[in-house]
Amino acid sequence: MGAVDVQADGEHRYAATLTTAGGTTSSHVVTCDEGVLEGLGATTADEPVLVRRVLEVLVRSADEAEAAGRTPAVPEVVDLRELDRQVPDLLPNLPLR
């Protein structure tokens, strides 16, 4: 699996660098909000873990795309509220502990 480097970059905002297993590096901003956390029954302390778990899923997806000869397509801005709307089963199924 590729690598994830993520750091807090403000309230409910994170700066991330993803590196695929093939060596492709990309920079991203991840945003979250209280509503997402509340919907998951998570706390503010769980937020960094949630962000990391989402990025791990995205880098695995990018690895698979790269291995299949496609260009990895991870959005520059990852809005967890929008991601939850688009893929409703993803966030609730990520382990936070």
Side-chain angles (χ1 to χ4, degrees):
M1 181 175 98
V4 172
D5 180 29
V6 62
Q7 298 178 5
D9 189 34
E11 187 173 11
H12 303 296
R13 182 181 168 97
Y14 298 82
T17 302
L18 302 182
T19 305
T20 64
T24 302
T25 300
S26 56
S27 297
H28 307 272
V29 172
V30 182
T31 61
C32 189
D33 63 44
E34 292 292 330
V36 170
L37 296 174
E38 288 173 12
L40 296 172
T43 66
T44 303
D46 294 324
E47 185 179 79
V49 177
L50 174 64
V51 169
R52 176 165 287 282
R53 296 291 184 260
V54 166
L55 292 170
E56 289 168 350
V57 168
L58 294 176
V59 80
R60 276 194 303 274
S61 176
D63 284 346
E64 291 170 7
E66 201 169 67
R70 299 185 315 268
T71 302
V74 177
E76 188 175 323
V77 176
V78 179
D79 178 340
L80 295 190
R81 179 177 292 284
E82 182 62 22
L83 182 63
D84 190 42
R85 188 183 68 70
Q86 292 175 2
V87 188
D89 292 340
L90 178 63
L91 300 184
N93 290 310
L94 293 174
L96 298 180
R97 294 178 178 83

